[in-house]
């Protein structure tokens, strides 16, 4: 594994760690109760810390191979969740989620930055980095 690929792998791992700690901060410190779609995103994000951490420690991208699928799926779930918050025709779908509506917003910085958008950004960074690593891993 080249040094450039290792640096991108480290960046990918750090992104997953920050996203994981960010979600835990929102739920455990800020007392925001996660909705159903938030849980799906957590299920897809948390293992990435281990997958990319092991790949980094072993200097072998094959240990993080499942991360490409999980981050790609995470992009889709986060985009749909963000749509439930911001698009009127999807907002009704979020109202029947569970105890907490998937259409509700705990944060709305600048009128558009919500928790699902932060998740979408993290999953997208991880997905794009993983694709780059696969292409450039020699």
């Amino acid at each position: 594994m080249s040094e450039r690929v290792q640096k991108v792998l480290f960046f990918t791992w750090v992104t997953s760690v920050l996203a994981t700690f960010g979600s835990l901060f929102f739920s455990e410190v800020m007392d925001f109760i996660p909705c159903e779609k938030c849980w799906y995103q957590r299920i897809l994000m948390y293992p990435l810390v281990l997958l990319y951490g092991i790949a980094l420690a072993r200097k072998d991208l094959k240990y993080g191979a499942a991360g490409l699928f999980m981050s790609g799926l995470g992009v889709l779930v986060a985009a749909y969740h963000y749509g439930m918050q911001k698009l009127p025709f999807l907002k009704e779908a979020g109202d029947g989620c569970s105890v907490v509506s998937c259409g509700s917003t705990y944060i709305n910085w600048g009128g558009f930055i919500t928790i699902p958008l932060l998740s979408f950004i993290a999953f997208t960074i991880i997905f794009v980095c993983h694709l780059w690593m696969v292409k450039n891993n020699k």
Side-chain angles (χ1 to χ4, degrees), residues 10 38 69-70 76 113 138:
F10 178 74
C38 289
F69 172 75
M70 293 172 75
L76 297 175
I113 300 172
K138 295 178 176 145

Side-chain angles (χ1 to χ4, degrees), residues 19-129:
T20 297
F21 282 125
S23 74
L24 290 171
F25 172 80
F26 284 132
S27 64
E28 301 303 316
V29 176
M30 301 299 292
D31 290 325
F32 297 162
I33 300 169
C35 71
E36 184 178 322
K37 299 295 181 283
C38 289
W39 279 112
Y40 295 150
Q41 291 165 75
R42 286 174 174 217
I43 289 167
L44 292 167
M45 182 61 74
Y46 290 7
L48 296 181
V49 174
L50 290 174
L51 290 174
Y52 291 122
I54 292 169
L56 191 60
R58 304 261 176 142
K59 295 183 182 345
D60 193 346
L61 192 56
K62 74 178 180 185
Y63 292 102
L68 185 61
F69 172 75
M70 293 172 75
S71 62
L73 192 55
V75 167
L76 297 175
V77 173
Y80 179 65
H81 189 190
Y82 186 66
M84 291 172 112
Q85 291 181 331
K86 296 297 181 181
L87 301 174
F89 67 94
L90 287 177
K91 199 158 186 79
E92 288 181 19
D95 290 339
C97 268
S98 61
V99 176
V100 177
S101 170
C102 290
S104 65
T105 55
Y106 286 114
I107 65 168
N108 195 20
W109 300 326
F112 70 98
I113 300 172
T114 64
I115 295 171
L117 181 62
L118 296 173
S119 174
F120 175 81
I121 292 168
F123 277 121
T124 301
I125 289 169
I126 293 167
F127 185 75
V128 169
C129 285

Side-chain angles (χ1 to χ4, degrees), residues 1-8 59 132 136-138:
M1 179 182 296
S2 73
E3 190 173 325
R4 286 181 62 190
V5 171
Q6 286 182 47
K7 287 179 182 178
V8 173
K59 295 183 182 345
W132 184 91
N136 293 284
N137 191 24
K138 295 178 176 145

